[in-house]
Structure formats: structure tokens, C-alpha cells
Amino acid sequence: MNQIWDPVRYASEAAFVATLGAPLLDALAPQPGERILDLGCGDGTLTARLQASGCTVVGVDSSAEQVAAARARGLEAHVVDAQALRYESEFDGVFSNAALHWMPRQDLVLAGVHRALRPGGRFVGELGARGNIAHIVEALEAELAALGIATLGLSPWTFPGTDEFSALLQHSGFEVISIAAFERPTPFTRDLADWLTLMAQTHLNAAPASARPALLDAVTRRLRPVLYRDGQWLLDYVRLRFSAVKRA
Ligand code: BEZ
């Protein structure tokens, strides 16, 4: 993946990720004294909320910059590839918001989460579902194609359907308690170029640096009639939310 996270920009331009993911904390229902793993903890905004409920929380993320930001809040956080977790039967719950879709080998992630949980442990998460940001991806690919740049296999994102993800959970040793996909048009009050620069670096970096400003303009022009309403962008997010337990 060709993506670098800048915690300062992330905190000011992507605070909505944690805000909109916060209801997921209720689904996990963390209890005082429990040991919880926050998978893809980012800058630790929700990790801190988990810790505030009296749990011991370990955050992991593949971004050294985001892990440093989480540690700066006084949290325990580690740079870890979630596709190669090495924890063994030591967590009561695993929580993950808006991170799993950055991990192409979701089968390896789920196998590692299963190993990390105690029997009966909970796994609660949310990720982009099939169709997530479909208009944005289509516009990026169309404008890259117009520059003669191939996009086959370029996307860093994996957005599964509920059928696919449910099967993967069950195959990995989980009982699925609930799973649902839903459209969640996501307000973004800044320029779309800011979202693209923060989140779609793999696509943007496929173009030569000199071509990127025009690429951002072209993608924005293409998407404005589709995703811009009443003075703000409404991004075409589709979420997959699930709750599962490790079969004993
Ligand atoms: C998401 O949270 O669905 C998402 C965020 C950035 C890029 C792609 C998807």
C-alpha cells in the first residue's frame, strides 16, 4: 500500500471517522477490567474511549505515525501488521473501526483475531462494504485511464459483501451474532481534494507528481454533480457492521 498517514491532518480532516464509528463502542459493551485489542487504532481516538470505560486496551496499527500519535495520548499502541497478529488467547474483545478494508488478506486478519481472543471473546467491527465509495473509485479510475495509467489491481481497498464476510467469519471459527450493510452518506465539509489527498494516495501516486493537481480537479469536476449537495460533499460510504464471538 502506498499510503502515509499524517496524524495532524488526520485529526483535523478525518475526525468524522471516529465520530461516526463511536456507536460501535456500545456494540462491544466493554466491561471494566477486560482486556481489549483495538485493531487499526489510528491516532487512538476510540482507543481512549475504550480505555475510559475501565478496560486495558492495546492498540495496533500499521502506521508508525499514527501509533506515535496514540502513544502521545498515553495509550499502549504498537506498530503491527494486523495480517500477522501474534497474540494468543489473551483478549476478551477485539474492536475495529474503519480499518479492515485497508487489509487485503482479511482471511489472515480473522485467523489472527481468532487466535488472539479467549474462547467466547467478542469481535465487533465496521468496515467499508461492497459498493463503498463506488462513485469515488470510478472517478479516480476513469481519470487515471484518461491519462493512460492502468488501474487494474491498484486499489488498496477490500470492501466485502455481508455474505462474503459472514462466510469468512464462520470459516475462521466465529459465530456471527449480527451482520448488516447500510448506506451512510458521509458529510465532508472541506474540499473533496482534501479527502482524496488524505485517503486515496495510492491512486493519486499512480500519476506523475506534475499531473496530480489536474487529476484532483478532474475527479472533483466529475463527482460534483453526483456527490455535492446543499453546499457540502456527501461521500457515498456504505458500511458493513458486524458482531461475532469466538466459538468455544
Ligand atoms: C472508509 O472508511 O470506508 C474509507 C476511508 C478511506 C478510504 C476508503 C474507505
Side-chain angles (χ1 to χ4, degrees):
M1 199 202 326
N2 193 353
Q3 173 80 29
I4 294 169
W5 296 107
D6 172 348
V8 175
R9 278 198 70 179
Y10 193 86
S12 74
E13 297 174 21
F16 69 90
V17 175
T19 304
L20 297 174
L24 208 53
L25 297 168
D26 295 335
L28 181 69
Q31 302 299 311
E34 282 191 325
R35 190 167 160 79
I36 303 292
L37 178 66
D38 185 359
L39 199 66
C41 64
D43 65 5
T45 305
L46 293 180
T47 326
R49 295 269 306 268
L50 286 165
Q51 185 139 295
S53 56
C55 310
T56 301
V57 190
V58 177
V60 293
D61 202 284
S62 63
S63 161
E65 293 81 5
Q66 292 282 65
V67 164
R71 285 184 177 168
R73 295 174 186 259
L75 299 165
E76 179 181 347
H78 305 281
V79 180
V80 167
D81 177 359
Q83 299 165 131
L85 292 175
R86 298 165 73 101
Y87 300 105
E88 296 280 346
S89 294
E90 59 187 274
F91 290 101
D92 302 293
V94 176
F95 174 87
S96 184
N97 179 49
L100 289 161
H101 50 247
W102 292 99
M103 304 169 194
R105 292 297 306 270
Q106 291 172 347
D107 56 335
L108 297 181
V109 178
L110 268 48
V113 169
H114 188 267
R115 275 195 306 277
L117 281 168
R118 300 191 175 112
R122 295 134 29 234
F123 181 24
V124 166
E126 184 176 304
L127 64 155
R130 188 181 294 150
N132 192 41
I133 59 166
H135 285 113
I136 299 176
V137 173
E138 191 184 357
L140 282 163
E141 292 185 353
E143 293 301 336
L144 283 169
L147 294 172
I149 296 166
T151 57
L152 192 66
L154 177 68
S155 173
W157 306 308
T158 301
F159 301 134
T162 50
D163 45 355
E164 200 182 334
F165 202 73
S166 180
L168 201 53
L169 281 164
Q170 290 175 62
H171 185 74
S172 309
F174 290 95
E175 181 188 343
V176 178
I177 304 299
S178 65
I179 185 162
F182 56 97
E183 291 183 9
R184 194 200 65 198
T186 297
F188 189 72
T189 49
R190 306 174 64 98
D191 288 346
L192 183 66
D194 291 331
W195 187 96
L196 293 166
T197 307
L198 195 62
M199 305 287 199
Q201 292 168 22
T202 304
H203 288 85
L204 299 181
N205 292 346
S210 59
R212 284 178 211 152
L215 175 61
L216 285 168
D217 279 352
V219 171
T220 300
R221 260 199 316 279
R222 189 181 272 268
L223 287 172
R224 189 174 292 276
V226 191
L227 298 181
Y228 194 78
R229 311 236 168 81
D230 302 325
Q232 69 176 0
W233 292 94
L234 264 187
L235 308 182
D236 53 342
Y237 278 45
V238 185
R239 315 315 286 166
L240 189 163
R241 197 174 275 188
F242 65 91
S243 170
V245 293
K246 175 173 174 165
R247 283 196 300 263

